[in-house]
Amino acid sequence: MKKLIAAISGLVLGALASTVIFADFNDNKNTNQAGTATNAQKVYVPFGQKDEYYLFASGGHSGQMFIYGVPSMRHIRTIPVFSHDSATGYGWDKHSKKMLGKYTWGDLHHPALSEKGGEYDGKYLFATDVGNNRAAVMDLKTFTVKDILEVPNTGGPHCAAFVTQNTEYMFLPTRFAIPFGHKFASLDDFKTKYKGVMSAVTFDEKKQKLSVAYQVALPPWSFDLSDAGKKISKDWAVMTTYNTEEATTEMEINASQKDRDYIVLFNWKELEKMIADGKFDMVNGMKMLDPSKHKGAIYLVPTAKSPHGVDVTPDGTRFIASGKLAPAMTVFSFEKAFRAIKDKKFAGEQEGIPVLDYDSVMEREVNPENALGPLHTQFDGNGFAYTTMFISSEIVKWNIKTGETVDRVPVQYSPGHASAAEGDTVSPDGKYIIALNKIAKDTYLSVGPSHPESMQLIDLSGKKMEIIQSAPVDPEPHYAQMIKADKIKPIVVYDKDEKRPDSVWNQKDTSITRKGNVVEVHGVALRSKFIFDGKAARKDVINVKEGDKVVIHLTNIDLDQDITHGFGINSYDLNMEVQPGQTQTIEFTANKAGTYPLYCTNFCSALHQEMNGYLLVEPKG
Amino acid sequence: MKKLIAAISGLVLGALASTVIFADFNDNKNTNQAGTATNAQKVYVPFGQKDEYYLFASGGHSGQMFIYGVPSMRHIRTIPVFSHDSATGYGWDKHSKKMLGKYTWGDLHHPALSEKGGEYDGKYLFATDVGNNRAAVMDLKTFTVKDILEVPNTGGPHCAAFVTQNTEYMFLPTRFAIPFGHKFASLDDFKTKYKGVMSAVTFDEKKQKLSVAYQVALPPWSFDLSDAGKKISKDWAVMTTYNTEEATTEMEINASQKDRDYIVLFNWKELEKMIADGKFDMVNGMKMLDPSKHKGAIYLVPTAKSPHGVDVTPDGTRFIASGKLAPAMTVFSFEKAFRAIKDKKFAGEQEGIPVLDYDSVMEREVNPENALGPLHTQFDGNGFAYTTMFISSEIVKWNIKTGETVDRVPVQYSPGHASAAEGDTVSPDGKYIIALNKIAKDTYLSVGPSHPESMQLIDLSGKKMEIIQSAPVDPEPHYAQMIKADKIKPIVVYDKDEKRPDSVWNQKDTSITRKGNVVEVHGVALRSKFIFDGKAARKDVINVKEGDKVVIHLTNIDLDQDITHGFGINSYDLNMEVQPGQTQTIEFTANKAGTYPLYCTNFCSALHQEMNGYLLVEPKG
């Protein structure tokens, strides 16, 4: 244990926290011209060819998801998830406005691709919001968000547990302990009134709905990262936790007092059974299980203090975690853990949860020379692990079974996560790993005091790891997943579904109708005009009265690839997009009398500029 | 004239508008391996080196500005301008919230770099908003927006006139005719009550403020693109206009009835004098000049119907415009125009504005074989023009003086604008041009029915133009400007200005004070903690009462490059960023009682995860 936690004094710790040790710049400078030329070709995707992988990078406090192509590292598209997006009208059209509800920003932390049998199946992408306690699901047929769920009793779900191997659950641990329902309670009552709730979230594919299956009331600690088991460990999941000191102020110092924190090891099949057996209380509409009352599903594994990532090996036999200021990675064995649980090899309890004996679960401590700050580990298919070192700014490649360090590559600078090709599956591809660096410094043309982050693509196919491309990225990817491109099969245009409510497919069927003070428009958009009322003298004009509620349904009847129409109303602060074959609805109150041009906001044809009409709002009395 | 406008019948026109003719795919496919390798090296910027040019691409209905590096074509950063940005807290902090006011989205069309003596000076970037009639200015020392101006009497300022050659003015023509002040008026009264107002906007560098110097009440036509004169034409500017038919519905057909539309040619020095002489009426607080009453500054030049772009040559002698469905570009001579004006060679008047005789101003019609849909022209420093052909999907290189076509390159697909290196200055660099393509089709990995746009980098240094890189881009760049990187000198951190109002630089000077129901916090952020009240037992906790107005001033006292702190409040829908040395303010009403974690939202150090505290809102009575 002593060896593991290392004798880093509090003072040294503080210094490390505020000092980034940069690897020697020249180590990775491609001074060799031939090397540069080779790398250039490795990442170049000429016109007519496509990238080999999609990279789904979380956009952090942008609330968005960033899609990149690998190996070109080109930013293909930003997809809004938890925040409004002026470009697509996400947050203005009726469906997305309702999904976003009262929230205007989000902090998207960890993306998780849906899995089947431990392989990414290319169907859905899940994500969590630390800012406003939400989970979301994106359909990869359309690359649009289908549902957003607000999770009660939770203070910042930092990380989805990457999904279980058949997408049964994703687990949302809470990062900041709070009283149930965010109720007011003095920090003096932290131990008794605050909780660190973990939520088990399920996705109903038919209904396209997320819901909370149950919650677990864990102690008021900070829960950080997590991973789901695989194969022999498939019914289990692991989470790191820090601030087991239960400090309520100056966490930087007070949450690092003890020598060890924990990995929470839990059996979700057992939890499922307990819930089915009624072992819960209802708390703010949630089924809440108390693990100190209902034992047998959750255990604590001691680990070096303040751990960050925890990662399950592709074969499901081990999980790897590290104190984030430590010099070592620790390999734990699921089999040893299962034996220890069976044999009740406990080293006491914490808040009513059994603590497993460290030596009974630990298999090996891996200590590369001068490496510091291990955060996250990814894998290839050949038995090697790749761990990011935040403080020593490098990625270390090591042998999972022997602990031997095989290779190291400096990155620029301070890597958080890394993302390997199919890296969280049971069969990683091993071709590429991308370092998600937190500090870009002067890597790119300066854009002022606010810098981009930096992602670096590393080629794993040679004998030595080699950085072959650096790509700037908007703030702020915390994690990313990389999936083989042919697994994702997006639609090209929406179906012409004539039964779709409020859709209209012929100009003659368009209409503007009034019921009381509600004006409802069933219109179409096509190259290069709007038709709102096919029978009117001016078919592209909407006449309403001041104070009317206006509901506009718009169907894009151009069924050709890439022919998107926008619909914006000048000075009325409204915009949405309608994809080919799609019907979208926008609602507003016409609270300003006057003459307002409306127009297509997304370039659609040679006569796009002419695609406009008017909203005329007749003044009251 | 007949030759110019070409005998394209209305029927053919309609077909063209809805059909994109794609150039032969194989023409540009780099089937040659050696060619691909060379191109790969041309665009590869290895770590330790930087891009040669900044590209400022307008983000269209995203309301943002996109910054790319050239030649790598890497997306370096998204800068929010007219829409909220969750990532940077733009729209949440006090300054930006006030600037954005009541508007939540924008449609950023044309960026314009500030100029001195006709050269980009690298100091400011201007932009306009078609959605909500605004102009903005970004400071390139910080890459942040300094001022946003709402322009009355205007319906969609489609294009800033790119600035005059010493940034005296940018001109905002209106795209959609409206009555003054968006007043309600029947479309039957279009001719009499609707206007197409052009605004002359100035920027006060000292006050960092935009304002409208004066407006001109033009006829109710659609004004589209514009350019400022240079050298001999420096006191002049040009704008294209369409719908001189004054159609009020089905513009696609009705705005293309006449054989010709106009270029508006005006002398802004003359307009300035007229305004100084009091030749205006006040309309909604604006000095409004009526050109039919006050003559001698504005003239109409006939051009092929429905023109889009108009571009002044680097030497300022000519302007080039084209009907956007025509097969020809037309070169007009400023000298000929000046003579025609002097000699009063008028072909009548339109709405009281003199129309110049076409043949007296036109120098040459340029008609490359089978080229169709000329939109915009850019320039190199060697006397060549580069015109985008929207319909035939290509860029045509031609000799300005002789009209001879020298080269053509197919692009993928449907280019709108193109942007050449220093292309709008008096001395373009000629090394690169970028085609801003509207249709990407299947160029990149699919991200669903909504596609990225596509920018293609073309190398101009060889004998033949060659596409060397394709880059996807979020919707939707309408125009871009490319500036030599060494002209821009951003700051690294904000000055430690101890006199800055509400800034605090020492932990002991932090405070939380109450005046009535207003709680004001003067706090600091540093690696890795917040200090709100250095004298309190819990320095990182803010205690307020339900209903209090809370004002938080936060100074980032880490004065190191790239150490940004965020400040988010969980469940309270609030976030902002504070750059090194910066002071930011956020205000809100604590209308929800309870316990709300607050945390640093921008990764800042090894102990970033521990940088958190609490907002405690005590319930009312």
Side-chain angles (χ1 to χ4, degrees):
Chain A
M1 189 73 188
K2 276 268 165 61
K3 187 179 161 202
L4 164 77
I5 53 152
I8 303 177
S9 78
L11 275 170
V12 173
L13 235 161
L16 283 173
S18 54
T19 310
V20 174
I21 301 166
F22 295 114
D24 181 6
F25 182 95
N26 289 307
D27 281 2
N28 195 53
K29 209 170 170 181
N30 291 300
T31 41
N32 182 320
Q33 280 288 8
T36 297
T38 310
N39 292 345
Q41 286 173 63
K42 279 182 182 170
V43 301
Y44 190 69
V45 178
F47 183 79
Q49 292 175 29
K50 285 181 192 162
D51 279 300
E52 192 179 347
Y53 290 91
Y54 285 88
L55 182 76
F56 291 89
S58 75
H61 44 304
S62 75
Q64 302 166 323
M65 188 73 65
F66 304 138
I67 320 288
Y68 279 75
V70 178
S72 77
M73 295 304 287
R74 292 178 294 190
H75 173 246
I76 299 179
R77 193 66 192 260
T78 299
I79 310 284
V81 180
F82 293 119
S83 55
H84 290 61
D85 179 46
S86 174
T88 51
Y90 184 80
W92 284 263
D93 71 79
K94 189 180 174 186
H95 172 68
S96 61
K97 189 176 179 180
K98 195 179 161 199
M99 273 199 312
L100 290 173
K102 61 193 169 188
Y103 296 119
T104 59
W105 83 288
D107 189 2
L108 196 159
H109 267 247
H110 292 85
L113 287 158
S114 57
E115 293 183 17
K116 192 163 185 186
E119 300 280 5
Y120 302 148
D121 63 8
K123 291 171 81 174
Y124 299 97
L125 184 74
F126 304 96
T128 51
D129 169 28
V130 178
N132 291 312
N133 316 314
R134 292 174 291 176
V137 56
M138 185 194 296
D139 185 341
L140 297 179
K141 283 199 297 295
T142 57
F143 281 69
T144 58
V145 173
K146 290 295 172 184
D147 193 30
I148 293 180
L149 172 74
E150 190 175 351
V151 183
N153 303 323
T154 301
H158 180 243
C159 172
F162 306 30
V163 297
T164 52
Q165 75 172 20
N166 289 300
T167 319
E168 294 93 341
Y169 291 99
M170 59 172 177
F171 298 102
L172 275 60
T174 204
R175 181 168 151 200
F176 311 110
I178 52 163
F180 287 143
H182 278 89
K183 274 212 169 157
F184 176 77
S186 166
L187 284 161
D188 295 337
D189 299 327
F190 195 76
K191 198 173 188 65
T192 53
K193 295 197 174 161
Y194 284 58
K195 286 287 171 188
V197 168
M198 180 193 80
S199 307
V201 170
T202 57
F203 175 57
D204 184 324
E205 199 176 339
K206 268 194 190 155
K207 292 183 186 159
Q208 303 261 300
K209 280 282 166 200
L210 294 163
S211 53
V212 179
Y214 59 86
Q215 295 188 322
V216 180
L218 292 166
W221 303 340
S222 288
F223 298 90
D224 199 357
L225 278 146
S226 50
D227 202 358
K230 292 178 175 81
K231 297 186 174 180
I232 65 155
S233 57
K234 70 180 167 49
D235 299 344
W236 295 77
V238 281
M239 300 192 298
T240 53
T241 182
Y242 61 98
N243 193 27
T244 56
E245 292 86 351
E246 299 180 11
T248 59
T249 187
E250 291 185 84
M251 300 279 281
E252 165 185 52
I253 296 160
N254 296 330
S256 299
Q257 294 303 301
K258 291 189 188 173
D259 283 341
R260 52 103 197 83
D261 283 303
Y262 301 110
I263 294 162
V264 183
L265 171 69
F266 64 96
N267 185 312
W268 55 266
K269 282 269 189 191
E270 281 299 322
L271 289 173
E272 206 171 49
K273 265 183 230 157
M274 288 176 181
I275 296 296
D277 293 346
K279 292 177 176 167
F280 60 81
D281 301 305
M282 291 304 291
V283 177
N284 296 318
M286 300 285 112
K287 293 175 183 170
M288 184 75 71
L289 183 140
D290 181 343
S292 68
K293 279 194 221 162
H294 305 291
K295 301 196 176 183
I298 305 184
Y299 304 90
L300 301 175
V301 179
T303 188
K305 70 170 143 188
S306 302
H308 194 41
V310 59
D311 298 282
V312 174
T313 55
D315 63 4
T317 59
R318 296 165 175 91
F319 53 101
I320 296 159
S322 324
K324 69 185 163 221
L325 300 166
M329 290 80 82
T330 312
V331 182
F332 296 94
S333 158
F334 273 110
E335 282 182 342
K336 287 182 81 173
F338 298 160
R339 258 198 310 275
I341 290 166
K342 206 178 155 200
D343 302 346
K344 297 193 191 300
K345 279 206 177 166
F346 301 143
E349 278 196 351
Q350 273 283 342
E351 319 276 338
I353 306 172
V355 179
L356 295 176
D357 176 63
Y358 174 73
D359 289 311
S360 306
V361 184
M362 189 271 288
E363 178 178 300
R364 172 173 287 106
E365 289 164 9
V366 179
N367 198 337
E369 199 178 352
N370 295 327
L372 212 52
L375 290 191
H376 303 282
T377 301
Q378 283 273 282
F379 306 97
D380 63 17
N382 301 315
F384 295 106
Y386 300 79
T387 302
T388 53
M389 296 287 171
F390 182 84
I391 298 171
S392 54
S393 272
E394 60 181 326
I395 288 185
V396 174
K397 176 180 177 179
W398 52 283
N399 186 309
I400 300 168
K401 285 193 184 153
T402 66
E404 182 203 2
T405 298
V406 236
D407 194 16
R408 300 166 73 153
V409 64
V411 295
Q412 292 81 22
Y413 305 94
S414 305
H417 281 267
S419 174
E422 303 256 329
D424 289 306
T425 70
V426 292
S427 59
D429 284 2
K431 194 166 180 181
Y432 299 116
I433 193 167
I434 293 168
L436 307 177
N437 304 320
K438 291 300 182 185
I439 307 287
K441 292 259 173 195
D442 56 358
T443 304
Y444 308 104
L445 289 180
S446 171
V447 289
S450 178
H451 291 54
E453 321 303 315
S454 184
M455 304 194 295
Q456 287 183 301
L457 178 66
I458 299 166
D459 180 2
L460 300 182
S461 61
K463 208 173 164 186
K464 298 277 291 173
M465 290 187 283
E466 190 168 14
I467 295 181
I468 55 176
Q469 183 63 297
S470 293
V473 54
D474 277 332
E476 173 180 22
H478 294 291
Y479 188 50
Q481 284 190 333
M482 201 194 312
I483 178 175
K484 202 83 160 67
D486 60 12
K487 285 190 177 178
I488 294 184
K489 310 210 179 299
I491 62 167
V492 174
V493 300
Y494 284 85
D495 283 341
K496 184 180 176 183
D497 174 6
E498 304 203 27
K499 287 181 183 158
R500 187 190 304 145
D502 295 317
S503 68
V504 177
W505 299 92
N506 287 303
Q507 300 184 30
K508 66 175 174 47
D509 296 331
T510 57
S511 65
I512 302 180
T513 53
R514 171 183 287 277
K515 274 186 198 164
N517 71 338
V518 179
V519 176
E520 192 162 12
V521 180
H522 286 89
V524 296
L526 67 159
R527 277 168 294 183
S528 302
K529 57 189 167 190
F530 295 108
I531 309 280
F532 304 120
D533 182 354
K535 293 162 206 82
R538 292 191 181 97
K539 299 168 177 58
D540 46 14
V541 173
I542 300 172
N543 291 289
V544 301
K545 294 196 171 75
E546 188 180 351
D548 279 345
K549 184 183 170 183
V550 186
V551 182
I552 301 171
H553 310 287
L554 198 60
T555 302
N556 178 348
I557 63 172
D558 284 324
L559 292 166
D560 294 342
Q561 181 180 15
D562 208 359
I563 304 303
T564 301
H565 293 295
F567 175 80
I569 305 181
N570 177 261
S571 233
Y572 242 86
D573 200 35
L574 290 167
N575 180 49
M576 66 172 178
E577 271 193 4
V578 197
Q579 301 307 325
Q582 192 183 25
T583 303
Q584 288 269 51
T585 298
I586 199 162
E587 298 180 341
F588 62 99
T589 301
N591 50 15
K592 285 195 294 187
T595 300
Y596 301 97
L598 52 88
Y599 69 107
C600 177
T601 48
N602 195 299
F603 203 100
C604 60
S605 73
L607 291 173
H608 159 76
Q609 199 77 354
E610 280 79 358
M611 189 165 169
N612 67 270
Y614 284 91
L615 167 72
L616 286 165
V617 185
E618 194 180 328
K620 264 184 191 160
Chain B
M1 189 73 186
K2 276 270 166 58
K3 185 179 160 199
L4 164 77
I5 53 154
I8 303 179
S9 76
L11 275 172
V12 173
L13 236 161
L16 283 173
S18 54
T19 309
V20 173
I21 301 167
F22 294 115
D24 181 4
F25 181 93
N26 288 308
D27 282 4
N28 195 54
K29 209 170 168 182
N30 290 299
T31 41
N32 183 319
Q33 279 288 7
T36 298
T38 310
N39 292 346
Q41 285 172 65
K42 279 182 180 169
V43 302
Y44 190 71
V45 178
F47 184 81
Q49 292 175 31
K50 284 181 193 163
D51 278 301
E52 192 179 348
Y53 290 91
Y54 285 89
L55 182 77
F56 291 89
S58 74
H61 45 303
S62 77
Q64 301 166 323
M65 188 72 68
F66 305 137
I67 319 290
Y68 280 75
V70 179
S72 77
M73 296 303 287
R74 290 178 295 190
H75 173 245
I76 299 179
R77 194 66 192 259
T78 300
I79 310 284
V81 180
F82 294 119
S83 56
H84 291 62
D85 180 46
S86 174
T88 51
Y90 184 80
W92 285 263
D93 70 81
K94 189 180 174 183
H95 173 69
S96 61
K97 190 176 178 179
K98 194 178 163 198
M99 273 199 311
L100 290 174
K102 60 192 168 188
Y103 296 118
T104 60
W105 83 287
D107 188 3
L108 196 158
H109 267 247
H110 293 84
L113 286 156
S114 57
E115 294 183 17
K116 192 163 185 186
E119 301 280 6
Y120 302 147
D121 63 8
K123 291 172 80 174
Y124 298 97
L125 184 74
F126 303 96
T128 52
D129 169 27
V130 177
N132 291 313
N133 317 313
R134 293 174 291 176
V137 56
M138 186 194 295
D139 186 340
L140 297 179
K141 284 199 297 295
T142 58
F143 281 68
T144 57
V145 173
K146 291 295 173 187
D147 193 29
I148 293 179
L149 172 74
E150 190 174 352
V151 183
N153 303 323
T154 301
H158 181 241
C159 172
F162 305 24
V163 297
T164 53
Q165 74 171 20
N166 290 300
T167 318
E168 294 94 341
Y169 291 99
M170 59 171 174
F171 298 102
L172 274 59
T174 204
R175 180 168 151 200
F176 312 109
I178 52 163
F180 287 145
H182 277 89
K183 272 213 171 155
F184 177 77
S186 166
L187 285 160
D188 295 338
D189 300 326
F190 195 76
K191 200 173 186 66
T192 53
K193 296 197 174 161
Y194 284 59
K195 285 287 172 190
V197 168
M198 181 193 78
S199 308
V201 171
T202 56
F203 175 58
D204 184 325
E205 199 176 338
K206 265 195 191 155
K207 292 183 185 158
Q208 304 262 299
K209 280 280 165 200
L210 295 164
S211 53
V212 179
Y214 59 87
Q215 295 187 322
V216 180
L218 293 165
W221 304 338
S222 288
F223 299 91
D224 199 357
L225 277 146
S226 50
D227 201 0
K230 295 179 172 78
K231 298 185 174 178
I232 66 156
S233 56
K234 69 179 168 49
D235 299 344
W236 295 76
V238 280
M239 298 192 298
T240 53
T241 182
Y242 61 98
N243 193 28
T244 57
E245 291 87 351
E246 300 180 12
T248 59
T249 187
E250 291 185 83
M251 301 279 282
E252 163 186 52
I253 296 160
N254 296 330
S256 297
Q257 294 303 302
K258 291 189 187 172
D259 283 342
R260 53 103 196 80
D261 282 303
Y262 301 110
I263 293 161
V264 183
L265 171 69
F266 63 96
N267 185 312
W268 56 265
K269 283 267 188 194
E270 281 300 321
L271 289 173
E272 204 170 53
K273 265 184 230 154
M274 287 176 181
I275 296 295
D277 293 345
K279 292 177 177 168
F280 59 82
D281 301 305
M282 291 304 288
V283 177
N284 297 319
M286 301 284 110
K287 293 175 182 170
M288 184 75 69
L289 183 139
D290 181 342
S292 68
K293 280 195 219 160
H294 305 291
K295 302 197 177 186
I298 304 186
Y299 304 89
L300 300 175
V301 179
T303 189
K305 69 170 144 190
S306 302
H308 193 43
V310 59
D311 298 283
V312 175
T313 55
D315 63 5
T317 59
R318 295 166 176 89
F319 53 102
I320 296 159
S322 324
K324 69 184 160 220
L325 300 167
M329 290 79 83
T330 312
V331 183
F332 297 93
S333 157
F334 273 110
E335 282 182 342
K336 287 183 81 172
F338 299 160
R339 260 200 309 277
I341 291 166
K342 205 178 157 202
D343 301 345
K344 295 196 196 297
K345 281 210 178 160
F346 300 144
E349 278 196 352
Q350 274 282 343
E351 319 276 339
I353 306 172
V355 179
L356 295 175
D357 176 63
Y358 175 74
D359 291 312
S360 306
V361 185
M362 189 272 288
E363 178 177 301
R364 173 171 287 105
E365 290 164 8
V366 179
N367 197 336
E369 198 179 354
N370 296 327
L372 211 53
L375 291 190
H376 303 283
T377 301
Q378 283 274 283
F379 306 97
D380 62 18
N382 301 316
F384 295 106
Y386 300 79
T387 302
T388 51
M389 296 288 171
F390 181 84
I391 298 172
S392 55
S393 272
E394 60 181 327
I395 289 185
V396 174
K397 177 180 179 179
W398 52 282
N399 186 308
I400 300 168
K401 285 193 183 152
T402 66
E404 181 203 1
T405 299
V406 233
D407 193 16
R408 299 165 73 152
V409 64
V411 295
Q412 292 81 19
Y413 305 94
S414 305
H417 281 269
S419 174
E422 302 253 330
D424 290 304
T425 70
V426 293
S427 60
D429 284 2
K431 194 167 179 181
Y432 298 115
I433 193 167
I434 293 168
L436 306 177
N437 303 320
K438 291 300 182 184
I439 308 285
K441 293 260 173 194
D442 56 358
T443 305
Y444 307 104
L445 288 180
S446 170
V447 289
S450 179
H451 290 54
E453 320 303 314
S454 184
M455 305 195 295
Q456 287 183 300
L457 178 66
I458 299 165
D459 181 3
L460 300 181
S461 61
K463 210 175 165 184
K464 297 278 290 174
M465 291 188 281
E466 188 166 16
I467 294 182
I468 55 175
Q469 183 63 298
S470 294
V473 54
D474 276 331
E476 172 180 21
H478 294 290
Y479 187 51
Q481 283 191 333
M482 202 192 313
I483 178 174
K484 201 84 159 72
D486 60 11
K487 285 191 175 175
I488 294 185
K489 310 210 180 297
I491 62 168
V492 174
V493 300
Y494 284 85
D495 283 341
K496 184 179 175 181
D497 174 6
E498 304 202 29
K499 286 180 183 159
R500 186 190 305 147
D502 295 317
S503 68
V504 177
W505 300 92
N506 287 302
Q507 301 184 28
K508 66 175 174 46
D509 296 331
T510 57
S511 64
I512 302 179
T513 52
R514 171 183 286 278
K515 274 186 196 164
N517 70 337
V518 179
V519 176
E520 192 163 12
V521 180
H522 286 89
V524 296
L526 66 157
R527 280 167 295 186
S528 303
K529 58 191 166 189
F530 296 109
I531 309 280
F532 304 119
D533 182 355
K535 293 163 207 80
R538 293 192 180 96
K539 300 169 176 56
D540 45 16
V541 172
I542 300 172
N543 291 289
V544 301
K545 294 197 173 74
E546 188 180 352
D548 278 346
K549 186 182 170 185
V550 185
V551 182
I552 301 170
H553 310 287
L554 198 59
T555 302
N556 178 347
I557 62 173
D558 284 324
L559 292 165
D560 294 342
Q561 182 180 12
D562 207 359
I563 305 302
T564 301
H565 293 295
F567 175 79
I569 305 181
N570 178 260
S571 234
Y572 242 85
D573 201 35
L574 290 166
N575 180 48
M576 66 172 178
E577 272 193 5
V578 196
Q579 301 306 325
Q582 193 182 25
T583 303
Q584 289 269 51
T585 298
I586 198 161
E587 297 180 341
F588 61 99
T589 300
N591 49 16
K592 285 194 295 187
T595 301
Y596 301 97
L598 53 87
Y599 69 107
C600 177
T601 48
N602 195 299
F603 204 101
C604 59
S605 74
L607 290 174
H608 158 75
Q609 199 77 355
E610 280 78 359
M611 188 165 170
N612 68 271
Y614 284 91
L615 166 73
L616 286 165
V617 185
E618 194 180 330
K620 265 182 190 161

